Amino acid sequence: MKKIMIVGSPGSGKSHFSRKLAEITGISVYHMDMIYHNPDRTTNPREYLIERVREIFANDSWIIDGTYLGTIEMRLKECDTVFYLRLSVEECLKGVTGRIGQPRSDMPWTEEEADPEFIEYVRNFEYDQKPRMEKLLDQYNDKNIIILTSHEEADEYLEKLRNEEC
């Protein structure tokens, strides 16, 4: 486990999980949100994302946090392990609203209020994004794909990994 992707709906805990995994493994984590978004809330073009992701691939090991369907297949080709945080819509919405007002290392700004458009995106993730993502995960079933369906299950996995590392 040296080249790792962490995917799932916004609010599922991908960034939290990736930071904890990085602490345990010593592998550097890269947040797709930090590559895509600028502090002024503008976004970078897809070509920029592709270029930055390719730069990450040059490293011997990495953790890339973020679903980003536009680059998911290129990342699937390069990774050896995928963590899929498959939490309920309700849990993801709690995750999104619970981080309002909290500075985050995985985002270049602090959300001051819930963005209705983003909330709708999270609500529709399982219909609009999840089928395509899961189809790609099925196509790359030679990868070590670990599906975690709750925060408790994710924490238990990390604790088990921490104990193995000791």
Side-chain angles (χ1 to χ4, degrees), residues 2-160:
K2 294 181 73 170
K3 297 180 178 184
I4 304 163
M5 287 177 53
I6 301 174
V7 299
S9 171
S12 62
K14 296 181 303 295
S15 297
H16 175 79
F17 186 86
S18 66
R19 285 190 297 272
K20 296 294 184 188
L21 186 62
E23 287 174 15
I24 295 166
T25 63
I27 298 172
S28 296
V29 63
Y30 302 89
H31 302 283
M32 290 296 293
D33 282 340
M34 291 297 286
I35 299 169
Y36 183 63
H37 297 286
N38 296 307
D40 65 359
R41 297 179 187 244
T42 59
T43 57
N44 289 306
R46 184 173 188 273
E47 296 76 28
Y48 177 81
L49 261 66
I50 290 170
E51 181 183 320
R52 287 286 294 123
V53 169
R54 285 189 176 134
E55 290 171 8
I56 295 167
F57 291 163
N59 297 306
D60 291 334
S61 61
W62 40 261
I63 298 169
I64 300 177
D65 152 36
T67 302
Y68 284 78
L69 291 177
T71 63
I72 194 170
E73 189 163 18
M74 69 183 283
R75 291 180 286 134
L76 279 167
K77 288 177 181 177
E78 297 292 327
C79 77
D80 56 48
T81 304
V82 178
F83 287 95
Y84 174 14
L85 301 183
R86 189 170 61 192
L87 277 68
S88 71
V89 173
E90 294 77 21
E91 284 299 311
C92 294
L93 288 169
K94 283 184 201 173
V96 167
T97 56
R99 63 190 184 204
I100 293 173
Q102 304 295 317
R104 299 168 42 204
S105 63
D106 59 299
M107 197 66 165
W109 66 75
T110 300
E111 291 289 339
E112 298 301 329
E113 60 186 9
D115 175 0
E117 188 176 314
F118 187 63
I119 296 293
E120 195 62 25
Y121 176 83
V122 175
R123 280 195 177 108
N124 292 322
F125 184 87
E126 71 178 82
Y127 307 109
D128 297 340
Q129 307 294 312
K130 184 177 164 183
R132 186 167 158 224
M133 181 183 67
E134 288 185 350
K135 183 177 180 185
L136 284 167
L137 291 176
D138 287 344
Q139 290 173 3
Y140 288 87
N141 61 8
D142 60 321
K143 307 296 179 177
N144 181 24
I145 299 174
I146 301 157
I147 299 172
L148 303 168
T149 60
S150 70
H151 294 297
E152 295 78 20
E153 192 174 8
D155 290 343
E156 288 170 11
Y157 183 92
L158 291 168
E159 188 60 32
K160 180 180 172 200

